[in-house]
Amino acid sequence: MTAQNDTLERQTGAAMRRGFVGKCPSCGEGRLLHSYLKVNDACPDCGEELHHQRADDGPAYLTILLVSHLGAPLLLWVYMAFRPSPMTMLIGFSLGAIILSLLLLPRIKGAMVGLQWARRMHGFGINAEPGSA
């Protein structure tokens, strides 16, 4: 990457959207993840290094937050509107929470990597020192 590209402003929203759909936050073409949650070391299309990312537990916490905040009002509404049996609610909402969590987790991780890239965090920035956080 050239010094001129390092000084350009990176659009946070666009980078997060690209990461959310599983694309490189830099070019929007290459795949960000090469398995369920494993980030590629570099973009296969533009060569942007992605190994700097430090998403850690953030995507899991955000996934739990979103799933629970979507599930709780829905749980109350379903109970008040239809009065299903407790076993029906247990099975239905357990499966719903598991499926929604599995769908959101890689997308939220991609968005978080995009945020880190756009904000030049954890080695994505100018003159990054190896091992700096």
Side-chain angles (χ1 to χ4, degrees):
M1 187 180 295
T2 65
Q4 181 183 9
N5 289 342
D6 278 343
T7 59
L8 295 176
E9 184 66 28
R10 295 177 178 176
Q11 294 183 355
T12 305
M16 290 180 71
R17 280 189 296 279
R18 290 178 193 142
F20 186 83
V21 296
K23 300 295 182 185
C24 170
S26 179
C27 68
E29 296 296 323
R31 290 188 59 198
L32 179 65
L33 304 173
H34 67 85
S35 64
Y36 182 65
L37 290 176
K38 180 71 173 148
V39 177
N40 284 324
D41 288 336
C43 174
D45 282 1
C46 70
E48 177 74 35
E49 292 182 356
L50 301 169
H51 63 87
H52 306 296
Q53 64 86 23
R54 297 278 314 249
D56 299 332
D57 292 335
Y61 293 138
L62 288 174
T63 300
I64 291 168
L65 183 74
L66 285 173
V67 170
S68 62
H69 278 79
L70 292 172
L74 185 62
L75 181 79
L76 180 63
W77 178 77
V78 167
Y79 178 74
M80 297 301 284
F82 303 108
R83 301 283 180 175
S85 71
M87 191 55 102
T88 301
M89 288 190 67
L90 178 70
I91 292 170
F93 278 93
S94 295
L95 285 174
I98 290 168
I99 291 168
L100 189 58
S101 296
L102 290 173
L103 289 173
L104 284 177
L105 188 57
R107 287 159 180 76
I108 291 174
K109 182 166 185 171
M112 190 165 284
V113 171
L115 173 70
Q116 291 175 12
W117 176 83
R119 296 296 178 161
R120 302 178 193 277
M121 299 167 66
H122 308 299
F124 284 117
I126 307 167
N127 299 328
E129 294 290 325
S132 65

